[in-house]
Amino acid sequence: QVQIVESGGGLVQPGGSLRLSCVVSGSSISAYFMAWYRQAPGKQREFVARVYTGGITEYTDSVKGRFAVSRDNAKNTVYLQMNRLKSEDTAVYFCKLPRDSGYWGQGTQVTVSS
């Protein structure tokens, strides 16, 4: 049974940083790219970043230069380092394993506010 658990969210002031973690159990992530998405209140879930098996990364334009996605296959974990946070980054952040029809975690809340 595949389980995905995100953590590391919280309340942070604008300009601050957070590091999100995504721990996967029940499946190895080594053969898959892994992705982060987010969903703000009243909005659709949107793509944030992905990291391929070889370490290549992709980002949505709004987070380029501020966020960094990485992976540790030995720990079956994916990270999202978020720097210079803005109020518009406020959302629930989800991790996705694109295996079968896709597996999602329950999300972790990130709130950027002064």
Side-chain angles (χ1 to χ4, degrees):
Q1 180 180 358
V2 177
Q3 288 189 320
I4 298 177
V5 178
E6 302 97 336
S7 63
L11 173 64
V12 63
Q13 291 186 341
S17 298
L18 284 174
R19 188 193 195 203
L20 306 185
S21 298
C22 164
V23 179
V24 179
S25 59
S27 175
S28 171
I29 68 169
S30 61
Y32 304 93
F33 72 86
M34 294 293 296
W36 285 95
Y37 287 74
R38 65 186 180 187
Q39 188 166 16
K43 295 188 177 181
Q44 291 189 332
R45 192 171 298 189
E46 65 172 358
F47 166 77
V48 176
R50 68 169 61 92
V51 55
Y52 290 93
T53 56
I56 293 175
T57 57
E58 293 179 345
Y59 301 92
T60 191
D61 285 347
S62 62
V63 309
K64 284 181 180 176
R66 300 188 298 122
F67 289 13
V69 60
S70 60
R71 64 192 295 156
D72 185 337
N73 289 340
K75 295 182 178 180
N76 237 29
T77 300
V78 183
Y79 304 97
L80 184 67
Q81 178 66 44
M82 306 187 295
N83 300 322
R84 292 186 280 136
L85 283 161
K86 305 176 181 180
S87 58
E88 50 262 45
D89 295 318
T90 295
V92 179
Y93 283 71
F94 299 89
C95 181
K96 181 182 180 181
L97 168 66
R99 195 193 108 179
D100 302 331
S101 58
Y103 292 91
W104 297 88
Q106 81 292 343
T108 184
Q109 176 70 49
V110 172
T111 303
V112 185
S113 175
S114 56

